[in-house]
Amino acid sequence: MYPLIALFAILPLIASTRAWSSDNHTCALTNPIYSCENTTAIVDTCCTPTEGLVLITQFWDSYTGLEDQGSVLPKDSWTIHGLWPDRCQYCDLSRQYDPAPSPKTTTGKPDGTPVPAWQGGDVITPLLEKYGKYDLLAFMQKFWKSQNSPDWTFWQHEFSKHATCFTTYDVGFNGSPDCYGTLYENSTEASIIDFLESVVKAQIQYPTYQWLEEAGIVPSNETSYKINDIQDVLTNASGAEPYLGCTGPTRQVLAEVWYYTHSYGRPQDGILKPIDQTTKSNCNATEPVWYYERTVGSEY
């Protein structure tokens, strides 16, 4: 019997002699590495993403715009934006379910490949119901909120724009590996459910509201804050400096946070190493920043 270390040592050889094009890409058989930190070619891109910078992103909204339809924000919690790779978008147009693509091309430039708007309605809700994922659906309905549009439109936007650019969710499009077996009816369904579960697994590791509240930073329409104080709290709590996004003409309204990480193996596994933001927070660094309360009637 091979010692464990010796087994990991021969796995690349096994992979190279038996191209993993027709099996389930059992990532437990690979030697996991942190994304963006590999020093050699990635053996199985279903098990380590080639676009390896993983962002966990969240919103602080004060309303949904659909309160009259029962869509409200969760009390004492930021809401989910998404789980992103960096630098790419809409990588597999065979899984394009976004009814309002943004940008409208795969490169964000006029000469990029157009991204056709999805006109087939809600795909995700019936898919989760089909497989009995009612707890996942309920969590998403509470914490993954859209603004001025039904929640499913936002979920499908995030999947189509971002999940399709992680190689660990590949389904065989344009010569890529198919990372899935027969757990679900087809690989596309598997990739959608896999991504949604990955988003939730990552998001619950970053309880932004609670971290700020423990430091005495809570939503207020009367008290403003220094952005550096907010930045310091979230840096100390998360282990690295996140990006903070602000809105308004002078960038003084706190609206979003992006936590940057490397994933240990697949993002699906939720083993994330915090790293400092690679961009620059856009909030006003010299004037007070407002972390506003939710609009009356907009949360529960």
Side-chain angles (χ1 to χ4, degrees):
M1 181 177 291
Y2 288 110
L4 185 59
I5 294 176
L7 177 60
F8 279 135
I10 67 170
L11 284 173
L13 178 60
I14 296 173
S16 64
T17 56
R18 297 184 64 189
W20 292 352
S21 60
S22 60
D23 62 22
N24 290 356
H25 298 268
T26 304
C27 296
L29 298 177
T30 67
N31 187 10
I33 58 175
Y34 278 106
S35 60
C36 293
E37 298 181 19
N38 58 295
T39 56
T40 59
I42 295 172
V43 172
D44 191 342
T45 58
C46 288
C47 299
T48 298
T50 56
E51 288 287 342
L53 192 60
V54 180
L55 279 67
I56 299 92
T57 58
Q58 300 175 357
F59 279 134
W60 180 258
D61 289 327
S62 59
Y63 66 95
T64 68
L66 297 179
E67 285 81 2
D68 60 347
Q69 300 178 31
S71 179
V72 292
L73 299 164
K75 184 176 175 59
D76 299 341
S77 178
W78 286 48
T79 57
I80 298 170
H81 188 166
L83 185 71
W84 304 346
D86 203 21
R87 302 184 299 275
C88 54
Q89 56 207 0
Y90 297 109
C91 295
D92 178 355
L93 294 182
S94 75
R95 292 181 288 166
Q96 164 30 26
Y97 303 110
D98 186 351
S102 176
K104 296 184 182 298
T105 70
T106 54
T107 62
K109 299 178 181 178
D111 60 352
T113 301
V115 180
W118 171 253
Q119 297 180 359
D122 184 358
V123 170
I124 287 179
T125 301
L127 177 62
L128 294 180
E129 292 174 341
K130 173 182 177 179
Y131 289 105
K133 298 280 186 177
Y134 297 106
D135 53 352
L136 176 59
L137 179 58
F139 186 93
M140 291 165 51
Q141 289 171 333
K142 181 173 182 178
F143 293 102
W144 200 347
K145 305 300 297 179
S146 186
Q147 193 171 65
N148 297 317
S149 64
D151 294 336
W152 66 264
T153 65
F154 188 32
W155 305 339
Q156 291 179 200
H157 165 80
E158 289 297 302
F159 172 80
S160 300
K161 182 174 181 178
H162 299 297
T164 60
C165 296
F166 280 118
T167 59
T168 59
Y169 302 99
D170 277 343
V171 297
F173 176 73
N174 201 26
S176 67
D178 185 341
C179 298
Y180 297 96
T182 57
L183 181 61
Y184 296 98
E185 187 171 314
N186 58 63
S187 293
T188 294
E189 290 186 349
S191 71
I192 293 172
I193 294 174
D194 207 13
F195 176 70
L196 301 177
E197 292 181 346
S198 303
V199 171
V200 171
K201 182 179 288 187
Q203 293 287 336
I204 61 178
Q205 298 182 50
Y206 290 85
T208 302
Y209 187 94
Q210 284 70 31
W211 285 341
L212 292 174
E213 183 182 44
E214 289 168 2
I217 298 175
V218 295
S220 175
N221 294 341
E222 298 178 355
T223 301
S224 58
Y225 301 97
K226 295 179 179 178
I227 195 61
N228 288 343
D229 291 341
I230 296 174
Q231 187 88 66
D232 289 346
V233 169
L234 297 181
T235 298
N236 291 334
S238 69
E241 183 179 82
Y243 168 89
L244 294 176
C246 291
T247 60
T250 56
R251 299 289 180 180
Q252 289 181 258
V253 179
L254 184 63
E256 59 184 329
V257 59
W258 304 352
Y259 297 101
Y260 286 70
T261 72
H262 290 166
S263 67
Y264 190 56
R266 307 180 311 155
Q268 289 96 311
D269 298 324
I271 304 174
L272 305 169
K273 178 197 289 186
I275 64 168
D276 289 338
Q277 63 172 318
T278 60
T279 52
K280 177 70 174 176
S281 294
N282 76 345
C283 298
N284 195 312
T286 59
E287 297 295 328
V289 167
W290 291 94
Y291 178 22
Y292 283 125
E293 299 172 24
R294 298 264 172 73
T295 304
V296 175
S298 291
E299 71 175 9
Y300 73 100

